[in-house]
Amino acid sequence: MDTAGTAAERRQLINVAYRLLGSLAEAEDAVQEAYTRWYALPRGKREEITSPGTWLTTVTGRVCLDVLGSARARRERYVGA
């Protein structure tokens, strides 16, 4: 996974996540989660993926959508004073 581990790749993922979430801290968390999922894959599965950057971008986007969905659910359940 040499290409997916480069600093340029990570910056690209953070840019995508930031555009979706609007928070640098949340964007960095989303990217870290994507990398965690990448390294959790068995080596054979990682080798089957022809474009690690695309895979990481997709996973980062899905993590961001999950964060946005859970934020919306938290707002909907809030029953202020």
Side-chain angles (χ1 to χ4, degrees):
M1 179 180 122
D2 295 332
T3 58
T6 65
E9 183 76 40
R10 189 170 183 85
R11 275 194 306 275
Q12 166 89 16
L13 294 171
I14 289 174
N15 286 338
V16 168
Y18 180 77
R19 281 187 233 124
L20 287 166
L21 299 172
S23 161
L24 183 57
E26 287 183 332
E28 289 172 341
D29 289 345
V31 171
Q32 185 62 40
E33 176 63 23
Y35 275 104
T36 299
R37 292 180 187 189
W38 171 262
Y39 286 112
L41 289 174
R43 180 182 287 276
K45 287 279 190 192
R46 277 186 279 169
E47 290 172 355
E48 290 176 10
I49 297 171
T50 57
S51 178
T54 302
W55 189 92
L56 283 164
T57 301
T58 301
V59 171
T60 299
R62 289 178 182 167
V63 169
C64 291
L65 293 176
D66 289 346
V67 168
L68 291 171
S70 68
R72 182 175 54 243
R74 284 192 308 269
R75 282 193 306 272
E76 290 172 356
R77 282 185 273 158
Y78 177 72
V79 204

